[in-house]
């Protein structure tokens, strides 16, 4: 089994053997795969093909939505359609146009990724794309393990290991998805499996940065991102409201029980 996968599944044992796990995660898991030099390029080409197909579908959806607006407008003139139907068709057209713009932008981004992947095809003796990606995965996990195994970091940034914190919980979910994608891509991965693993590692990196930022904000070392203060306040209010409801429900149940007890006839 890949050592990183084992470390990810048994991360709660890390404080017992912190040094060994950290060294193993970096030093192991580097077995070479047969070929695979063009794997990243092939995955980028597959992404571009899918993005272009989506862009074509989006443009077709815009044409259909525009035709629907024209039809309903004509029927409205003939009093066979309502103003609400015409307004709804126009709203749908705006949504489809926004989707088409996003799809076109995604095609341009995928073209840039393909060019970068073409330029990054490794030399015959250089690490393969899958190995490079596994190294990036390892690096994120090692950064996380430091918060798990270093008592000083645990005291300074307790939110990093508090699963009740939304950013920490999201990191752990992303870590699970990355582990699953790594299993699927291990060995003889194809372009689709590599692309899924690449995206999972990217999500993991973003989730870790978000969790680390949130932990440092709670420690008073960084400024909250725009909107995060409002979200934290809303979450705290929701938690307090839930606790208040629970207390009120408990008090009501106790009052009802006391009332029933008073109404019960005395047994002689």
């Amino acid at each position: 089994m890949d050592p990183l996968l084992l470390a990810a599944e048994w991360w709660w044992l890390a404080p017992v053997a912190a040094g060994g796990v950290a060294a193993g995660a970096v030093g192991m898991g580097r077995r070479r795969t047969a070929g695979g030099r063009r794997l990243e390029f092939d995955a980028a080409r597959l992404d571009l093909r899918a993005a272009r197909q989506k862009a074509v579908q989006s443009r077709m959806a815009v044409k259909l939505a525009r035709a629907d607006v024209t039809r309903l407008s004509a029927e409205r003139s003939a009093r066979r359609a309502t103003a609400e139907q015409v307004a709804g068709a126009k709203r749908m057209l705006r949504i489809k146009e926004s989707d088409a713009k996003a799809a076109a932008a995604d095609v341009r981004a995928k073209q840039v990724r393909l060019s970068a992947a073409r330029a990054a095809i490794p030399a015959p003796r250089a690490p393969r794309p899958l190995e490079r990606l596994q190294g990036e995965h390892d690096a994120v996990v090692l950064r996380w393990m430091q918060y798990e195994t270093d008592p000083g970091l645990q005291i300074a940034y307790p939110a990093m290991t508090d699963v009740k914190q939304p950013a920490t919980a999201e990191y752990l979910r992303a870590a699970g998805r990355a582990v699953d994608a790594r299993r699927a891509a291990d060995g003889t991965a194809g372009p689709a499996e590599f692309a899924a693993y690449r995206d999972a590692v990217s999500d993991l990196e973003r989730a870790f940065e978000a969790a680390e930022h949130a932990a440092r904000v709670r420690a008073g070392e960084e400024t909250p991102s725009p909107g995060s203060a409002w979200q934290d306040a809303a979450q705290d209010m929701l938690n307090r409201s839930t606790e208040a409801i629970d207390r009120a429900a408990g008090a009501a149940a106790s009052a009802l029980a006391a009332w029933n007890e008073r109404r019960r006839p005395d047994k002689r």
Side-chain angles (χ1 to χ4, degrees), residues 215-236:
R216 292 182 182 276
V217 167
R218 285 189 170 273
E221 296 181 3
E222 294 185 7
T223 304
S225 301
S228 63
W230 178 88
Q231 293 171 355
D232 290 343
Q235 184 64 42
D236 291 341

Side-chain angles (χ1 to χ4, degrees), residues 183-200:
R183 285 198 184 98
D186 200 19
T188 56
E193 292 80 9
F194 178 87
Y197 182 35
R198 176 203 63 207
D199 293 344

Side-chain angles (χ1 to χ4, degrees), residues 117-202:
R118 182 186 290 111
I121 294 176
R125 296 183 179 275
R128 298 297 188 258
L130 183 58
E131 294 173 337
R132 243 182 10 247
L133 189 57
Q134 289 172 340
E136 295 173 10
H137 189 179
D138 292 348
V140 179
V141 173
L142 282 177
R143 291 174 65 189
W144 163 258
M145 295 295 286
Q146 290 177 353
Y147 288 98
E148 282 286 341
T149 59
D150 188 326
L153 290 177
Q154 289 178 354
I155 294 172
Y157 310 106
M160 279 299 288
T161 53
D162 184 359
V163 296
K164 294 181 180 179
Q165 299 299 323
T168 302
E170 178 55 36
Y171 167 79
L172 293 175
R173 286 191 290 268
R177 292 192 294 268
V179 168
D180 291 340
R182 182 169 183 151
R183 285 198 184 98
D186 200 19
T188 56
E193 292 80 9
F194 178 87
Y197 182 35
R198 176 203 63 207
D199 293 344
V201 172
S202 295

Side-chain angles (χ1 to χ4, degrees), residues 19-226:
V21 172
V26 174
M28 300 177 67
R30 293 291 186 271
R31 62 178 181 276
R32 295 199 171 260
T33 58
R37 291 176 55 219
R38 292 170 55 90
L39 189 56
E40 186 173 10
F41 173 75
D42 291 339
R45 187 166 55 181
L46 184 66
D47 288 344
L48 179 58
R49 186 182 304 120
R52 283 173 172 166
Q53 290 175 350
K54 186 175 180 180
V56 171
Q57 294 171 355
S58 298
R59 289 195 298 270
M60 181 60 66
V62 169
K63 292 180 180 180
L64 292 175
R66 189 172 291 127
D68 202 34
V69 169
T70 303
R71 176 183 62 81
L72 286 172
S73 297
E75 291 186 356
R76 170 62 176 161
S77 299
R79 297 185 178 181
R80 290 196 299 268
T82 65
E84 290 76 12
Q85 289 175 316
V86 176
K90 289 181 178 180
R91 286 194 299 270
M92 185 58 65
L93 174 59
R94 288 193 293 270
I95 292 173
K96 297 302 181 183
E97 287 174 342
S98 297
D99 291 344
K101 290 179 181 179
D106 189 45
V107 168
R108 292 192 292 271
K110 294 300 191 298
Q111 288 172 335
V112 172
R113 170 175 280 178
L114 179 62
S115 298
R118 182 186 290 111
I121 294 176
R125 296 183 179 275
R128 298 297 188 258
L130 183 58
E131 294 173 337
R132 243 182 10 247
L133 189 57
Q134 289 172 340
E136 295 173 10
H137 189 179
D138 292 348
V140 179
V141 173
L142 282 177
R143 291 174 65 189
W144 163 258
M145 295 295 286
Q146 290 177 353
Y147 288 98
E148 282 286 341
T149 59
D150 188 326
L153 290 177
Q154 289 178 354
I155 294 172
Y157 310 106
M160 279 299 288
T161 53
D162 184 359
V163 296
K164 294 181 180 179
Q165 299 299 323
T168 302
E170 178 55 36
Y171 167 79
L172 293 175
R173 286 191 290 268
R177 292 192 294 268
V179 168
D180 291 340
R182 182 169 183 151
R183 285 198 184 98
D186 200 19
T188 56
E193 292 80 9
F194 178 87
Y197 182 35
R198 176 203 63 207
D199 293 344
V201 172
S202 295
D203 291 343
L204 180 66
E205 291 174 337
R206 285 191 293 269
F208 178 83
E209 292 296 336
E212 191 172 53
H213 174 70
R216 292 182 182 276
V217 167
R218 285 189 170 273
E221 296 181 3
E222 294 185 7
T223 304
S225 301

